[in-house]
Amino acid sequence: MPEISVITPVYNTEKYLLKCLNSIKNQTFKDFEVILIDDGSKDASPAILDEFAKTDARFKVFHKKNEGVTKARKDGIEYATGTYIAWVDSDDWIEENHLEQLYNAITANNADICVCNFVKEDKTGCTKYEEIISNLSNPLSNLIEQCSCRGCLWTKLIKKSLFDNSNVFPPDGINCWEDVIISANLYNLSKSTVHIPIYTYHVNDLNESSITRNKKNAEINMTDKINVIKYFENNERFKNLDLSYLKYNAKFFILLDCFMTQKKIPEDFYNLFGEKNNYKILITVLKDEQVSFGPRFIELFLILANIQFLAKPLHYLLANLRQK
């Protein structure tokens, strides 16, 4: 059995796939297998996977019909035989010492989860993002209440035994923010977490076809985010957590993806989730999403705070200006 199983769900990423696969193959840590789940790709990805697997027996390809990333992740766990699970998205890439540093940290500390930082690459260049876990004995608070660390699985090396709990995954059909639910459940089950301040995972924010970035998926993503909030609200294990930050964050992205180009925002949106306003958290969300203070900041604040008598005329004015 290998020490690490790297799981990579793949869907229509032919443009970036070889860079991803080569970055995994060239790791300084060698005791790993790679579980490649082709989720019914329609481009050249299946052929690329099959050819690449011929060059290295550690790479194992599994083709399936398209059922979304949540089901692909579940299938990956079923096929994995490693002691630890690492995740690499098929349009991203990792530096050559990524696995080695995660493995050394998790074993040296006898931890269940090891978390690292990451680099996001987009048209403007590269930006470093730090995963801040101020309370390693209770990372759930940082994930849900403060959002100083993210739910993304690809910053984590995780003991496979944590996945033996069938309740780790969200219901099938949630394919946006599904990793927030998975990470929250893993943190809830884990006894210890360690963080290492390395930036060895590179997120490709140039892939416009990604489910989280493709505007064609906006309504699907909106439904998923709403269902993620409902999941946390209705789950006993999270009943003592303050979900304000998560709710504002969900509304922020729903607003940007679905309604900012409209002159009139649907009435139902203003009251979405119906939480009591926490202006301090709302301002933190906007700052975290790098919204600089100005008309757009005020517009977003008023909409998310449900101050409709000011939000509606300001949004109408700014929406008209954006369309010119």
Side-chain angles (χ1 to χ4, degrees):
M1 287 198 322
E3 277 296 280
I4 297 176
S5 293
V6 180
I7 300 178
T8 299
V10 180
Y11 182 71
N12 291 352
T13 52
E14 61 179 4
K15 184 177 177 181
Y16 311 102
L17 190 51
L18 275 177
K19 182 174 183 178
C20 172
L21 297 176
N22 278 312
S23 75
I24 301 172
K25 182 176 183 176
N26 295 328
Q27 289 296 294
T28 54
F29 184 89
K30 302 299 182 184
D31 190 11
F32 65 84
E33 65 177 357
V34 186
I35 307 299
L36 300 164
I37 306 295
D38 168 33
D39 189 31
S41 297
K42 304 300 182 184
D43 64 359
S45 295
I48 294 172
L49 293 174
D50 290 339
E51 285 300 310
F52 196 91
K54 293 177 183 178
T55 69
D56 193 325
R58 295 175 297 178
F59 288 73
K60 304 167 186 178
V61 183
F62 301 89
H63 300 286
K64 61 186 288 296
K65 67 179 182 179
N66 179 249
E67 295 178 281
V69 68
T70 295
K71 185 63 168 63
R73 294 194 193 283
K74 282 185 181 179
D75 290 344
I77 291 293
E78 291 298 318
Y79 293 125
T81 62
T83 306
Y84 300 95
I85 301 295
W87 304 86
V88 181
D89 284 0
S90 61
D91 49 356
D92 299 337
W93 65 280
I94 53 177
E95 296 182 16
E96 63 180 10
N97 61 350
H98 177 72
L99 293 181
E100 181 177 11
Q101 294 196 71
L102 289 174
Y103 180 80
N104 288 344
I106 200 170
T107 52
N109 291 277
N110 193 26
D112 292 329
I113 300 173
C114 179
V115 184
C116 69
N117 303 326
F118 65 97
V119 179
K120 183 177 286 188
E121 301 180 0
D122 58 25
K123 294 177 182 179
T124 63
C126 297
T127 306
K128 289 184 175 181
Y129 288 84
E130 182 181 3
E131 297 287 82
I132 302 173
I133 306 178
S134 57
N135 185 358
L136 288 168
S137 63
N138 182 26
L140 257 181
S141 176
N142 292 111
L143 174 65
I144 302 299
E145 297 182 320
Q146 301 170 38
C147 290
S148 60
C149 64
R150 294 158 180 82
C152 40
L153 293 173
W154 30 258
T155 60
K156 300 170 180 65
L157 183 65
I158 306 155
K159 272 189 180 176
K160 185 177 185 292
S161 57
L162 293 184
F163 289 95
D164 293 341
N165 186 313
S166 60
N167 292 324
V168 166
F169 289 91
D172 288 344
I174 296 179
N175 293 302
C176 181
W177 282 20
E178 86 293 342
D179 47 3
V180 178
I181 289 177
I182 298 170
S183 292
N185 283 318
L186 291 171
Y187 281 142
N188 188 63
L189 292 168
S190 68
K191 295 180 181 178
S192 59
T193 298
V194 61
H195 171 257
I196 51 174
I198 60 171
Y199 296 85
T200 51
Y201 191 98
H202 291 252
V203 177
N204 173 18
D205 215 31
L206 295 167
N207 182 12
E208 295 299 329
S209 63
S210 165
I211 186 171
T212 57
R213 303 175 197 115
N214 190 342
K215 293 303 180 182
K216 293 180 181 179
N217 295 320
E219 290 190 12
I220 297 173
N221 292 348
M222 175 177 67
T223 301
D224 280 357
K225 290 182 177 74
I226 292 172
N227 287 333
V228 167
I229 298 299
K230 289 180 178 178
Y231 177 92
F232 284 108
E233 286 183 324
N234 298 325
N235 197 309
E236 272 296 303
R237 70 185 70 168
F238 305 115
K239 65 179 181 180
N240 294 323
L241 291 175
D242 181 358
L243 301 178
S244 298
Y245 192 112
L246 197 64
K247 289 179 177 180
Y248 278 130
N249 202 256
K251 286 201 292 188
F252 173 84
F253 283 107
I254 290 171
L255 181 59
L256 260 59
D257 289 343
C258 298
F259 303 125
M260 283 301 284
T261 58
Q262 299 182 17
K263 294 180 181 179
K264 291 186 178 181
I265 294 172
E267 292 289 335
D268 290 345
F269 176 80
Y270 286 101
N271 297 309
L272 188 63
F273 308 133
E275 76 277 16
K276 183 179 180 181
N277 276 327
N278 186 322
Y279 298 128
K280 182 178 179 180
I281 289 180
L282 175 49
I283 291 173
T284 301
V285 169
L286 293 175
K287 287 182 176 179
D288 285 352
E289 298 306 330
Q290 300 179 344
V291 182
S292 57
F293 187 77
R296 185 166 177 265
F297 186 102
I298 297 172
E299 175 190 18
L300 292 169
F301 178 89
L302 292 174
I303 294 171
L304 297 176
N306 196 18
I307 305 175
Q308 294 189 41
F309 75 98
L310 294 175
K312 288 181 177 179
L314 179 60
H315 174 73
Y316 184 83
L317 173 63
L318 294 178
N320 274 301
L321 292 175
R322 283 192 286 266
Q323 292 176 11
K324 290 182 179 179

